Amino acid sequence: MRKPKINRMVLAMCLGSFLMVIFYFQSNLKQASARTGGQSGTFGKSGRSPLQTLYDTDPLELSPLQVMHQGRRALLEEACRSYTRKRRVLIPEDLKHLIVDDRHGLLYCYVPKVACTNWKRVLMVLTGQAGGQHRDPLQIPANEAHIPGNLRTLSEYSTAEINQRLRTYLKFLFVREPFERLVSAYRNKFTRSYNTAFHKRYGTKIIRRHRPEPRPEALERGDDVSFAEFVYYLVDPSTQREEPFNEHWERVHSLCHPCLIHYDVIGKYETLEEDSSYVLKLAGVDGEVTFPASAKSTRTTGDMAATFFKDISPAYQKKLYSLYRMDFLLFNYSTPAYLKFR
């Protein structure tokens, strides 16, 4: 019986990728040890901070889950090197989406439409902001999770406190396929009758600018914006000249600045439950709180996104992709197959 031939090039590539992960992990381990060496306080069950728990592992004993997350960090750093040239200093405005948990040494950059309501609920439980009566995150009303002041953000701290937390806390975010997130934002904010504030604030403006001969009631109510009109609004250069994008459709790289802040865990909506459990385990609180299961029946999927894009012309698809291109590149999402401009 003939032995199967081994493709040496494929073997070399796999070995090279594995060694890159090991080298990258050892490099981060040294940096994390230097950062957390003087840290005091008790964190979780082990007494170690989440950052120490993440990096104090023999690189040769990494689990498949740890290797996957290490690979995500490596890919993000490589994309930052490839696609961003100028580095700048962080300012407080950059840190408004970073929620701080001083009890457990966590920094979470929240991204709307990527399970941020449930993560805010979890952090309210962990920080004690939910009150002693709430240990189940789902007992916290969704609107309460978004009340300003319930959770502290990094922008509220002094420069020295900011730097200390960026060095020693576990920094994590959750991302999502950019166009699925965008369609989810459109469905939630423009097709739900209860979102009258968004209809008045954005819907009326979109209709006034991008609908020929709009009816007076449409200009008054702003509650029937089409997805195509929403796209025209996003790619219109005057939109961002007037004011920043709303956080629900702002690009992740503009909300969380992943090329300026070294995130230790890059969770993905596609593996939400698994990645959320991983963060809670690193924090040593997996026995105290459980991340809520999501209602998969209402999720915006890739197939659903494709139906929204089928009536968008190739020219506008290309403009929209250019707008969100960095999120595709930084977080390793492929260009959707349903786009017509390729």
Side-chain angles (χ1 to χ4, degrees):
M1 184 176 175
R2 295 176 62 186
K3 293 182 180 179
K5 290 184 179 179
I6 298 175
N7 188 314
R8 293 183 179 180
M9 182 175 292
V10 171
L11 184 62
M13 288 173 64
C14 292
L15 180 60
S17 298
F18 177 74
L19 290 174
M20 182 183 78
V21 166
I22 296 298
F23 173 79
Y24 190 84
F25 195 92
Q26 288 175 327
S27 173
N28 279 326
L29 175 59
K30 290 175 183 175
Q31 292 175 28
S33 298
R35 289 197 298 264
T36 60
Q39 196 171 7
S40 61
T42 301
F43 298 91
K45 294 172 288 191
S46 66
R48 296 186 300 173
S49 76
L51 197 64
Q52 290 168 326
T53 302
L54 175 64
Y55 291 115
D56 286 358
T57 306
D58 186 333
L60 296 175
E61 296 178 2
L62 296 177
S63 69
L65 183 65
Q66 289 171 311
V67 171
M68 179 188 74
H69 280 281
Q70 181 59 58
R72 287 180 185 174
R73 288 194 297 274
L75 283 169
L76 175 57
E77 290 214 355
E78 179 58 35
C80 286
R81 283 194 295 269
S82 299
Y83 300 109
T84 60
R85 291 188 176 88
K86 292 182 180 179
R87 290 184 63 85
R88 62 175 179 81
V89 176
L90 287 165
I91 59 174
E93 185 71 23
D94 298 328
L95 308 174
K96 287 187 173 180
H97 272 246
L98 278 159
I99 294 172
V100 182
D101 176 2
D102 283 322
R103 286 188 180 183
H104 302 93
L106 299 173
L107 289 176
Y108 162 58
C109 186
Y110 73 90
V111 177
K113 308 312 301 174
V114 194
C116 77
T117 301
N118 281 341
W119 262 114
K120 286 181 178 181
R121 286 167 161 158
V122 167
L123 287 165
M124 284 179 70
V125 172
L126 293 179
T127 59
Q129 294 302 310
Q133 73 273 25
H134 291 314
R135 295 305 299 173
D136 177 3
L138 286 178
Q139 290 180 343
I140 302 170
N143 64 313
E144 195 174 319
H146 298 294
I147 295 174
N150 273 349
L151 293 163
R152 293 193 72 183
T153 63
L154 195 57
S155 61
E156 299 171 38
Y157 291 76
S158 70
T159 301
E161 290 170 331
I162 288 170
N163 289 333
Q164 186 265 336
R165 282 159 178 77
L166 286 173
R167 283 197 312 271
T168 62
Y169 284 16
L170 181 90
K171 298 166 291 298
F172 70 99
L173 80 165
F174 276 75
V175 299
R176 184 178 186 177
E177 201 279 341
F179 284 170
E180 287 180 27
R181 175 176 170 249
L182 187 66
V183 170
S184 177
Y186 167 76
R187 291 177 65 213
N188 180 252
K189 300 306 175 188
F190 294 105
T191 70
R192 304 286 191 266
S193 60
Y194 55 79
N195 266 322
T196 53
F198 269 82
H199 301 160
K200 288 281 188 180
R201 173 75 176 79
Y202 295 100
T204 55
K205 181 188 293 186
I206 292 170
I207 290 169
R208 186 170 64 251
R209 287 187 177 178
H210 300 289
R211 182 178 299 178
E213 301 179 3
R215 292 177 291 108
E217 56 266 33
L219 287 170
E220 171 66 25
R221 297 170 62 179
D223 61 354
D224 64 344
V225 172
S226 70
F227 184 67
E229 289 168 338
F230 180 51
V231 170
Y232 302 153
Y233 164 77
L234 292 173
V235 302
D236 182 350
S238 66
T239 298
Q240 287 193 82
R241 280 201 299 266
E242 287 183 358
E243 61 180 347
F245 276 166
N246 180 275
E247 62 179 13
H248 290 85
W249 47 84
E250 179 60 280
R251 286 70 54 91
V252 176
H253 73 270
S254 295
L255 294 174
C256 296
H257 308 283
C259 294
L260 298 176
I261 297 170
H262 175 87
Y263 286 95
D264 304 291
V265 176
I266 299 118
K268 292 201 169 187
Y269 193 71
E270 296 79 11
T271 50
L272 177 62
E273 287 80 11
E274 181 183 32
D275 294 344
S276 297
S277 296
Y278 180 56
V279 172
L280 294 176
K281 187 173 182 180
L282 288 171
V285 296
D286 47 316
E288 300 173 32
V289 63
T290 302
F291 190 83
S294 60
K296 294 185 179 180
S297 61
T298 61
R299 279 187 179 182
T300 299
T301 63
D303 289 342
M304 194 181 296
T307 65
F308 279 86
F309 273 84
K310 67 178 173 37
D311 294 326
I312 306 300
S313 72
Y316 274 96
Q317 287 185 3
K318 187 172 185 178
K319 288 180 180 180
L320 193 68
Y321 179 79
S322 296
L323 198 59
Y324 289 87
R325 177 174 173 266
M326 283 301 294
D327 279 359
F328 280 98
L329 295 173
L330 292 176
F331 303 113
N332 199 31
Y333 285 108
S334 301
T335 306
Y338 55 76
L339 294 182
K340 303 168 190 170
F341 69 83
R342 301 193 306 169

